[in-house]
Amino acid sequence: MSAIIKAEHLSFAYQGDEDTPPVQALKDVSFEIEEGSFVAILGHNGCGKSTLAKLLCMIYTPDEGRLYINGRDMTADDVEEKDIYDARRRVGMVFQNPDNQLVATIVEEDVAFGCENLGIPSEKIRKRVDEALDTVGMRKYARHATHRLSGGQKQRIAIAGVIAMRRKCIIFDESTAMLDPGGRKEVMDTICRLNREEGITVIHITHYMNEATMADRVLVMNEGTVIMDGTPAEVFSRCGELWEAGLDVPQTTELLWKMREAGYDVRLDIFDPEECAKEIAKAIAEKR
Amino acid sequence: MKISDFGRKSTIIFNFSFLIFHLGFMGKIELQNITYVYGKGAPYEIKALDDVSLTFEEGKIIGLIGHTGSGKSTLVQLLNGLIKPDSGRVLLDGKDIWAEPKKIRDVRFKVGLVMQYPEYQLFDETVWKDISFGPKNMGMSEDEIKKAVVEAASFAGLKEKHLFKSPFDLSGGQKRRAALAGVMAMGPSVLVLDEPAAGLDPGARRKILGRIKDYQRQSGTTVIIVSHSMEDMAMYCDSVVVMNHGKVTMTGTPAEVFSRSDELISQGLDVPAITKVARALRNEGVDIGLDIYTVNFAAHRLLGEEEDK
Amino acid sequence: MKADIAFGQYCEGNSFLHRLDPRWKIIFALMYIVALFLAKNIFAFGLVALSIVLLWALSGIRAGILVKGLRPLLFIIAFTAIINIFWLKGETPLLPENWFFQIYLEGIINAVLIVLRVMVLVTGTSILLTYTTTPIALTDGIEQLLAPLAKIKIPVHEFSMMMTIALRFIPTLIEETDKIMSAQKARGSDFSTGSLTRRAKALIPILVPLFISAFRRAEDLATAMECRCYTGGAGRTRMNILHSTWRDAVMLLILCVFVAGIVLLNIFAPGYRFTM
């Protein structure tokens, strides 16, 4: 397994104008993302997670530190337009507002947009677009108008556009934040399937705890730094620190934590209601 | 009057504003046999509301739940007369709001509506001016406006230093609360909020919902919240109305509604995870009841019962 | 329902005309317009009238839609007709000589022909272009027809990209305007009463948020396009390449016959010569 993204001591500040001082958004952030993994990045608004996403797809360049994508140092002095273009062919992005990232009026035209930019021959694009639409389960909407779709469907079209370009890694920048529960589930199911079945590396930036529990690994950010890094089980058992960082924990964990406070011997890293109930029942039985 | 003058005076009012609450009073809103159809006469005619009768209890926080397309957004727009029902009546304090169509604007002052993502409606140079937009339209005097703005801002948890900034320089959560203050400042007797916490992180979510709850408790205003989040509804509402396919399917306290989780799930809704835990616990032989909807409540039942033994 | 600009006046269908290459359709429309202005006498106009029936038959569009499309032109049509009837002097007076005004046969014929020309012009080009072609296909067609102009540094691709994005975002912005208007109405905005300046002032709370949102969307979209490797027109391919088929050849033949017919009728057919 190799690292598709490697960040070393990244720092970034937004330059203010005359009256406002620069805002330090990221401070000394380091991590590696293994190929094929599913990483969730958690944090409250303004903790630097969206800035990080913009650095990863090279919309901003870091002030300090090194960023490697697929082994290539994107912060080196000899990086040209071509290298950035090359990196973007590997790492794709799905944004927060489903309305602001679709370019074309017709679904299949939008999915084809990226491939057209890469200069792929027509028949191949056709094939890739059809496959991508199948993968996200939107084939029957191929000729529909994009603006008539629901939020969840729009996000799935955006995802199809990314996978039609055969990218190995997709960054989701709060892509579920503006969706209703139905749309959120559609998108999360698609993300999980892409990761498991297609082997696509997923970086999912979110503030929904239950979405983070689906990942292999969770990074928690606060004030521009990574404060926790581990499996969901490891991270969510540290309830106190999460609360301090302005985050929630899943309700199951919260209940188990309260049980533990009251002197019961329970694990904290359980997110499934059934299992949570079993654990509690067991602990109560043991205590008696 | 210069802004700096406003600033100085507002400081004084600000510090004492917790003593006096002019804004808001209980309003009673009632729906009688409301039907609303989109695209009437066209082949794609959709019945968004189908013979809905409902009374919103006064002086409470009422949650309105339903999946997308259940008719709840239509209902919200009916409450303050943005749209007119095809049949049926909307009664505010016993009076039909459409009795005099020309006076519908007055109804909109009494029934305040905070739409989804309300921060996108901010437009003025300063937060202060933006909040005073509604009161000005109502024809309040300068003094009244000042009081209303200061009070609404404090309800919404905005600090004084925020009031003279451009609304576009605020953070996401602050913008949302500034927009909320803009409606609160009109002193409505019913406040309707469509997804007030959508897209906010847990901290900002708790803050805005907490502010709404405090506002309700202190002003007595009837508050109607539309939301997808069962957890939030369970936590903040006094009663819950469930809608599906343009009809009201359930009403009751959160405990009553969430204990019927099978029905909720069959209507395409979720129940809070903690409610699921309570159900599973019963199967495991630990019965803490099915009417569990918050973690604190569950913990209390679990640990309290233990202590009793 | 809201204006659905993505499809404009497009009528869903799979007729002969629907399946023509949009590039050719633009050329056909131009040919058709030229032919219409060539027609000079009643017989040629007979052929014009026939042509519109043929186009309608080939398009498979309901006649009601075509009639509806003419409705906005009613005033102009009536106006030109009246002017022609009352002001044109001819040789065959229709009313007794001592009347205070006169109508000539030529005036009436002229009026009928002009009205026919305007109606056929609008209906014919609409059938060929807007009713049977989506705006997107039209944009594509125009881009490819004008592609040679790129060689002399005219940004053809950029214009067509702008068109595409405009088509994509207009419905979104209309929806947004609706939402902002409702929100401000809920805060007591009043757009329908008061003096003109008052009403104009009432628009500020709508326009400011709308512009801010449009800029935000533009920025987001630019970022999204960049992330999808968009670097302008150079080196770009298209998924849907436009293909000319036998249908285009058939249509071209029909139109050539039509133009030739009109020219021949102009020269050889006897009868009234149209004066405009």
Side-chain angles (χ1 to χ4, degrees):
Chain A
M1 277 290 177
S2 61
I4 188 158
I5 293 175
K6 193 169 152 196
E8 285 178 354
H9 312 292
L10 291 181
S11 292
F12 182 81
Y14 288 96
Q15 291 310 318
D17 44 27
E18 308 104 58
D19 338 320
T20 49
V23 183
Q24 192 70 35
L26 286 182
K27 278 175 269 178
D28 194 27
V29 172
S30 303
F31 58 85
E32 272 180 39
I33 308 267
E34 295 291 323
E35 215 171 313
S37 60
F38 180 173
V39 181
I41 300 182
L42 271 178
H44 65 83
N45 290 344
C47 71
K49 59 192 197 305
S50 281
T51 312
L52 182 63
K54 289 197 167 110
L55 284 177
L56 294 183
C57 65
M58 282 148 296
I59 293 159
Y60 301 150
T61 22
D63 299 335
E64 279 167 57
R66 301 239 162 256
L67 174 66
Y68 299 88
I69 294 194
N70 232 31
R72 175 84 171 95
D73 183 356
M74 301 309 295
T75 44
D77 294 333
D78 61 339
V79 168
E80 294 167 17
E81 279 279 301
K82 202 186 118 286
D83 297 301
I84 293 180
Y85 186 77
D86 226 48
R88 284 197 181 131
R89 294 179 63 158
R90 296 175 204 287
V91 180
M93 189 135 167
V94 176
F95 297 87
Q96 180 179 25
N97 192 330
D99 272 321
N100 297 359
Q101 52 186 319
L102 301 183
V103 182
T105 46
I106 308 289
V107 166
E108 59 173 19
E109 302 249 351
D110 189 83
V111 177
F113 179 76
C115 294
E116 293 177 337
N117 292 335
L118 297 179
I120 296 165
S122 156
E123 319 80 66
K124 272 197 186 161
I125 301 184
R126 177 86 262 166
K127 212 173 138 248
R128 284 190 182 192
V129 166
D130 289 347
E131 281 171 14
L133 282 172
D134 276 335
T135 312
V136 299
M138 289 289 289
R139 181 74 173 268
K140 62 171 186 256
Y141 292 93
R143 299 292 307 160
H144 279 230
T146 40
H147 74 268
R148 289 239 196 102
L149 303 175
S150 73
Q153 289 173 328
K154 282 179 192 163
Q155 291 298 51
R156 276 151 72 200
I157 295 304
I159 295 172
V162 175
I163 52 182
M165 292 172 81
R166 298 275 155 84
R167 277 141 155 188
K168 290 188 194 147
C169 173
I170 309 180
I171 303 169
F172 293 88
D173 185 8
E174 297 198 41
S175 309
T176 52
M178 291 180 81
L179 305 180
D180 62 17
R184 215 147 60 214
K185 191 171 176 311
E186 272 171 47
V187 171
M188 282 319 290
D189 287 350
T190 311
I191 292 177
C192 290
R193 217 175 49 243
L194 284 179
N195 178 250
R196 269 172 220 137
E197 289 168 20
E198 315 276 323
I200 291 171
T201 315
V202 171
I203 301 174
H204 183 56
I205 298 174
T206 182
H207 49 237
Y208 290 107
M209 305 304 130
N210 56 342
E211 290 176 7
T213 60
M214 299 176 198
D216 310 329
R217 177 176 160 208
V218 180
L219 295 181
V220 181
M221 293 191 63
N222 195 22
E223 320 249 317
T225 54
V226 175
I227 56 166
M228 283 184 235
D229 181 355
T231 62
E234 286 162 14
V235 167
F236 287 118
S237 15
R238 292 153 74 179
C239 299
E241 287 168 73
L242 282 169
W243 278 317
E244 240 167 72
L247 293 168
D248 264 343
V249 296
Q251 287 194 325
T252 48
T253 308
E254 193 181 341
L255 181 62
L256 291 166
W257 186 78
K258 288 207 157 99
M259 297 287 293
R260 187 185 269 189
E261 291 281 283
Y264 289 88
D265 179 27
V266 287
R267 279 162 54 207
L268 294 180
D269 53 348
I270 299 172
F271 313 122
D272 182 67
E274 305 270 335
E275 277 175 43
C276 170
K278 281 193 185 123
E279 179 79 11
I280 292 173
K282 202 178 80 192
I284 290 176
E286 270 171 23
K287 202 173 184 195
R288 264 185 220 138
Chain B
M1 181 180 282
K2 279 186 219 147
I3 284 175
S4 55
D5 286 350
F6 256 155
R8 230 173 289 131
K9 284 188 186 158
S10 71
T11 318
I12 303 162
I13 307 172
F14 223 91
N15 294 338
F16 294 97
S17 62
F18 58 91
L19 296 176
I20 19 157
F21 295 108
H22 324 264
L23 292 183
F25 51 92
M26 281 183 217
K28 184 178 171 189
I29 201 154
E30 210 175 327
L31 304 176
Q32 288 182 344
N33 308 92
I34 295 279
T35 299
Y36 189 85
V37 183
Y38 282 106
K40 208 169 189 180
Y44 49 79
E45 183 177 297
I46 300 163
K47 225 177 208 176
L49 291 175
D50 187 5
D51 193 25
V52 171
S53 297
L54 187 62
T55 306
F56 291 101
E57 280 172 275
E58 43 206 302
K60 291 263 170 70
I61 299 188
I62 302 129
L64 194 56
I65 305 179
H67 62 81
T68 309
S70 61
K72 60 189 191 330
S73 293
T74 311
L75 196 133
V76 162
Q77 288 178 293
L78 276 165
L79 291 179
N80 80 337
L82 278 176
I83 53 176
K84 199 178 170 178
D86 288 313
S87 67
R89 300 194 304 165
V90 183
L91 302 181
L92 176 61
D93 297 324
K95 275 199 301 202
D96 186 351
I97 63 167
W98 287 101
E100 288 170 279
K102 280 191 179 150
K103 290 194 175 163
I104 197 67
R105 221 168 132 225
D106 297 340
V107 173
R108 294 193 188 134
F109 295 136
K110 285 186 197 140
V111 184
L113 172 61
V114 182
M115 313 248 297
Q116 249 183 64
Y117 296 100
E119 57 272 32
Y120 294 146
Q121 77 201 33
L122 298 172
F123 70 98
D124 225 326
E125 290 159 55
T126 62
V127 174
W128 177 287
K129 281 190 184 171
D130 208 290
I131 297 175
S132 62
F133 179 68
K136 250 185 213 153
N137 284 333
M138 293 173 76
M140 284 189 195
S141 73
E142 286 274 324
D143 277 349
E144 285 171 326
I145 292 177
K146 220 181 297 167
K147 271 185 205 150
V149 172
V150 168
E151 215 176 288
S154 83
F155 273 138
L158 292 168
K159 297 204 179 71
E160 196 198 328
K161 62 175 182 192
H162 296 139
L163 288 180
F164 302 101
K165 275 190 180 174
S166 158
F168 308 111
D169 290 339
L170 301 180
S171 76
Q174 288 166 346
K175 269 188 205 168
R176 178 80 51 98
R177 282 183 278 121
L180 178 64
V183 178
M184 285 176 172
M186 305 194 320
S189 56
V190 179
L191 181 67
V192 186
L193 304 117
D194 194 355
E195 290 283 354
L200 297 179
D201 65 43
R205 230 184 150 84
R206 269 196 297 267
K207 183 150 193 183
I208 195 161
L209 291 170
R211 285 293 168 179
I212 293 167
K213 186 146 191 155
D214 287 350
Y215 163 78
Q216 197 285 322
R217 293 287 176 267
Q218 285 167 4
S219 68
T221 312
T222 308
V223 173
I224 300 170
I225 301 180
V226 177
S227 176
H228 284 300
S229 166
M230 299 298 150
E231 278 85 359
D232 289 348
M233 288 303 204
M235 196 91 98
Y236 293 96
C237 295
D238 302 313
S239 69
V240 176
V241 174
V242 183
M243 293 193 65
N244 195 24
H245 295 308
K247 284 185 182 286
V248 173
T249 51
M250 280 187 232
T251 52
T253 61
E256 283 163 7
V257 169
F258 290 119
S259 63
R260 293 153 74 184
S261 50
D262 289 338
E263 283 169 69
L264 284 170
I265 290 165
S266 75
Q267 291 176 29
L269 295 167
D270 213 353
V271 292
I274 199 72
T275 309
K276 290 185 195 158
V277 174
R279 289 183 83 81
L281 267 174
R282 181 143 89 164
N283 295 338
E284 295 294 324
V286 183
D287 192 355
I288 56 168
L290 294 179
D291 55 347
I292 298 285
Y293 55 91
T294 64
V295 175
N296 281 336
F297 197 11
H300 181 76
R301 282 265 180 92
L302 265 174
L303 303 171
E305 264 169 38
E306 238 359 69
E307 278 155 24
D308 291 343
K309 284 169 196 166
Chain C
M1 281 313 262
K2 279 161 200 136
D4 209 336
I5 196 136
F7 291 106
Q9 292 172 295
Y10 179 70
C11 302
E12 197 74 46
N14 205 15
S15 70
F16 180 80
L17 287 185
H18 280 91
R19 286 150 85 177
L20 292 179
D21 183 336
R23 287 172 300 180
W24 277 109
K25 275 198 217 177
I26 295 165
I27 296 173
F28 294 154
L30 293 175
M31 281 174 75
Y32 193 70
I33 293 168
V34 170
L36 284 186
F37 281 92
L38 281 179
K40 284 284 182 261
N41 63 28
I42 299 183
F43 293 97
F45 267 90
L47 190 59
V48 166
L50 201 70
S51 75
I52 201 76
V53 176
L54 181 69
L55 276 182
W56 171 62
L58 286 176
S59 70
I61 294 170
R62 281 188 295 118
I65 294 176
L66 301 185
V67 173
K68 225 170 155 186
L70 283 174
R71 213 176 282 160
L73 292 172
L74 220 58
F75 176 75
I76 298 176
I77 290 175
F79 186 73
T80 32
I82 288 167
I83 286 196
N84 269 285
I85 291 172
F86 292 103
W87 270 270
L88 201 78
K89 288 216 161 44
E91 286 153 8
T92 339
L94 292 177
L95 298 171
E97 257 175 56
N98 50 0
W99 275 43
F100 67 98
F101 73 95
Q102 188 54 274
I103 292 175
Y104 299 91
L105 179 63
E106 287 83 356
I108 291 186
I109 294 177
N110 233 354
V112 170
L113 293 189
I114 281 206
V115 166
L116 185 68
R117 179 184 278 171
V118 171
M119 279 166 54
V120 168
L121 184 75
V122 171
T123 316
T125 46
S126 304
I127 293 179
L128 266 172
L129 296 177
T130 49
Y131 288 142
T132 59
T133 329
T134 57
I136 271 297
L138 262 184
T139 314
D140 262 9
I142 296 171
E143 181 187 355
Q144 297 197 20
L145 274 182
L146 300 182
L149 292 180
K151 289 209 177 76
I152 54 167
K153 298 259 155 77
I154 292 177
V156 177
H157 167 77
E158 281 70 13
F159 278 132
S160 109
M161 198 69 209
M162 277 160 61
M163 263 303 278
T164 311
I165 290 172
L167 286 171
R168 156 71 189 79
F169 274 91
I170 286 172
T172 311
L173 289 177
I174 289 177
E175 218 169 273
E176 178 126 40
T177 315
D178 235 44
K179 248 188 242 162
I180 298 173
M181 271 179 87
S182 297
Q184 306 298 29
K185 260 194 217 161
R187 290 162 83 191
S189 263
D190 187 358
F191 313 111
S192 48
T193 57
S195 66
L196 209 60
T197 39
R198 231 190 97 147
R199 279 194 224 182
K201 249 183 151 176
L203 286 179
I204 294 174
I206 310 272
L207 292 178
V208 172
L210 191 62
F211 271 99
I212 287 171
S213 133
F215 283 122
R216 187 173 36 83
R217 286 180 193 281
E219 214 179 300
D220 283 4
L221 184 71
T223 312
M225 284 170 74
E226 222 178 291
C227 280
R228 293 171 77 181
C229 293
Y230 180 73
T231 51
R236 245 184 137 237
T237 48
R238 299 305 306 266
M239 174 173 70
N240 292 322
I241 295 176
L242 300 174
H243 291 290
S244 308
T245 60
W246 60 270
R247 288 189 188 84
D248 300 294
V250 170
M251 192 65 196
L252 183 64
L253 193 70
I254 295 175
L255 268 170
C256 286
V257 170
F258 175 61
V259 174
I262 283 184
V263 171
L264 289 177
L265 285 170
N266 274 342
I267 301 172
F268 296 111
Y272 175 75
R273 292 214 166 253
F274 188 35
T275 49
M276 279 180 84

